[in-house]
Amino acid sequence: MSAQTHLAQIGALVGDPTRANILLALMDGQARTAKELAFLARVGAPTASAHLAKLVDGGLLTAVAQGRHRYYRIASPDIGRMIEVMLGFAGTIAGSAARPLRRAGPADERMRAARTCYDHIAGRLGVAIADAMQGAGHVVLEDGAGRLTSSGHVFLLRLGVDLDEGRSGRILCRPCLDWSERRFHLAGQVGKALCNHCLRLGWVERTRDSRALAITPTGQAAFQTFFGIAACDADPQPAEHRAEATPSPVT
Amino acid sequence: MSAQTHLAQIGALVGDPTRANILLALMDGQARTAKELAFLARVGAPTASAHLAKLVDGGLLTAVAQGRHRYYRIASPDIGRMIEVMLGFAGTIAGSAARPLRRAGPADERMRAARTCYDHIAGRLGVAIADAMQGAGHVVLEDGAGRLTSSGHVFLLRLGVDLDEGRSGRILCRPCLDWSERRFHLAGQVGKALCNHCLRLGWVERTRDSRALAITPTGQAAFQTFFGIAACDADPQPAEHRAEATPSPVT
DNA sequence: CCGATCCTTCGCTATCGGTCGAAGCGTTCT
DNA sequence: AGAACGCTTCGACCGATAGCGAAGGATCGG
């Protein structure tokens, strides 16, 4: 591929208004579903699907299948920087101030704070746990498959988490894309064991008619002590700012 | 104009293969004529004209009329940086190594070294003089109109240049786009007076059947002494690398 | 002053690509 | 198991636009 062809390809990808809308909607780094992006770009689902396929094919986006949803995100920080340069290429032009993007999420605030995702914890609490574990070097989240490090092994053992490590010493941990936070949380054996541990010790409690989890005062203290996590039950954003497109909670 | 509209506009401008070719041909910072750009982009003159108009309208290029030619160049270093980012957005992709661009110029090497442009000096010598004067703070070249500073005034007086400053103390100096070097040299009263001065003192000599100027040994020494200019008559580039499209020398 | 050159505008054609409706496939919820 | 949902593919439509030939305006060379 020659240089000019390459340049034209990049330009053409960003040059379509619908694709530009999609890219801008993803510029906050979060992942979004195809339907939601179709709504944000004011376009039908088939059209959005075609555009998303082109953007993935061109290397600007990556897609992650999650149940019946497909989450799209900017492929790399480099892509984000390129778009930023294109946006502000000649300094401040017109009224191109970055308008705050609406944030999508379940209507139920309690579910956004913490909920079960099949057999593990999702929501802000789940993401916070994943962040803490990753930051401490207890887990390494690679593409599609995570790994529990030796320090993570020790950490969970001292916490009293039952890892049930009879079978398959490899796939202990799996990253799971969080629906409301649009970031990865811990699934797999580690996620399952952690969830059971939290429930058993009364750190979180199931709620009626919902997958939402209530964080108990005991849990507040425990998460702070063991993971360095502050309160997760405060909604940092008013409800009015949520997106109109609200797919049903899946993860 | 909203942000996504703006982003899409930039992308669409760069997204066309012909426009991408034009932009890449101008990425060395030199100015080129419409015909030459049409040739480099492998497209007809009307098509190139339309694309150039769009690029100018979009703020990516600027145009300077020079006789019956129109010289186009990248509008600002910011634009150049943006294109570079787009070219290498994901590190090294494919074989996108910047291939050396052909360099256009008059067929006559002597004219590329030094020639008269109406009443002043053009070619490598003219550009070198302009660079030296500008670097020393003797002239300030603004957009379309240059100005001789007080130090430049003194410099020319001590050199013995007759500025003929009876009329209009303002437009002493005019930047003139050099045809072969594609950069500005000094025109206007300053350029004219300098040219006459060089001819009178035998620093350069007119040649038969051509506007080319021959730099005499005396001139070599003088330009080195007063302007810090090394030899201008050595062609730094083999003749084979010149562009096929060779407009007749005008300036 | 006339021919040549450069650039643009006008008019036209053909092609590319964005858009949507309908249908198909896989997944999830009841 | 059946229904609902999310996403993609297919087929068709159509508007936008790149491309060129011809003509016009402007400038330069002789």
Side-chain angles (χ1 to χ4, degrees), chain A residues 38-152:
Chain A
F39 172 81
L40 290 172
R42 312 270 177 195
V43 92
T47 302
S49 184
H51 285 305
L52 290 169
K54 288 184 180 179
L55 289 170
V56 170
D57 191 62
L60 269 64
L61 298 185
T62 56
V64 175
Q66 190 83 22
R68 55 183 170 186
H69 297 278
R70 275 195 94 184
Y71 286 88
Y72 290 91
R73 56 169 47 190
I74 303 274
S76 74
D78 286 328
I79 307 294
R81 273 192 289 272
M82 181 192 73
I83 296 174
E84 281 176 6
V85 168
M86 292 181 69
L87 273 173
F89 79 102
T92 55
I93 284 197
S96 65
R99 52 148 177 57
L101 282 164
R102 297 192 195 89
R103 183 176 177 186
D108 190 344
E109 159 54 23
R110 294 174 304 169
M111 289 192 59
R112 295 180 56 186
R115 65 179 177 279
T116 54
C117 175
Y118 306 118
D119 55 2
H120 53 270
I121 299 177
R124 286 194 296 277
L125 177 62
V127 171
I129 290 176
D131 282 350
M133 294 282 287
Q134 195 170 12
H138 293 157
V139 295
V140 177
L141 295 184
E142 290 150 353
D143 175 62
R147 190 169 52 82
L148 189 68
T149 65
S150 53
S151 78

Side-chain angles (χ1 to χ4, degrees), chain A residues 116 118-119 195-196 199 204-208 210-214:
Chain A
T116 54
Y118 306 118
D119 55 2
C195 183
N196 289 335
L199 284 169
V204 295
E205 290 178 350
R206 295 187 185 277
T207 57
R208 283 166 47 94
S210 166
R211 287 201 302 264
L213 291 173

Side-chain angles (χ1 to χ4, degrees), chain B residues 37-189:
Chain B
L37 290 170
F39 171 81
L40 290 173
R42 311 272 177 193
V43 93
T47 302
S49 183
H51 285 305
L52 289 169
K54 288 184 181 179
L55 289 169
V56 169
D57 191 63
L60 268 64
L61 298 184
T62 56
V64 175
Q66 190 83 21
R68 55 183 168 183
H69 296 278
R70 278 195 90 184
Y71 287 88
Y72 290 91
R73 57 169 47 188
I74 303 274
S76 74
D78 286 328
I79 307 296
R81 273 191 289 272
M82 181 192 74
I83 296 175
E84 282 177 5
V85 168
M86 291 181 68
L87 272 174
F89 79 102
T92 54
I93 283 195
S96 64
R99 51 149 176 58
L101 282 163
R102 297 193 194 87
R103 183 175 176 185
D108 191 344
E109 159 55 23
R110 294 174 304 170
M111 291 192 59
R112 294 180 58 187
R115 66 180 177 276
T116 54
C117 176
Y118 306 116
D119 56 0
H120 54 269
I121 298 177
R124 287 194 296 275
L125 178 61
V127 170
I129 291 177
D131 282 349
M133 294 283 286
Q134 195 171 12
H138 293 157
V139 294
V140 177
L141 295 185
E142 289 149 354
D143 175 61
R147 190 169 53 82
L148 190 68
T149 65
S150 54
S151 78
H153 224 99
V154 173
F155 174 77
L156 291 182
L157 279 180
R158 297 177 64 176
L159 214 57
V161 175
D162 179 18
L163 272 179
D164 185 25
E165 38 186 345
R167 46 194 180 139
S168 76
R170 291 300 304 268
I171 342 176
L172 284 170
C173 170
R174 193 173 66 86
C176 179
L177 191 56
D178 194 281
W179 186 86
S180 60
E181 296 301 304
R182 307 308 166 85
R183 298 179 50 212
F184 287 110
H185 57 242
L186 295 181
Q189 283 187 32

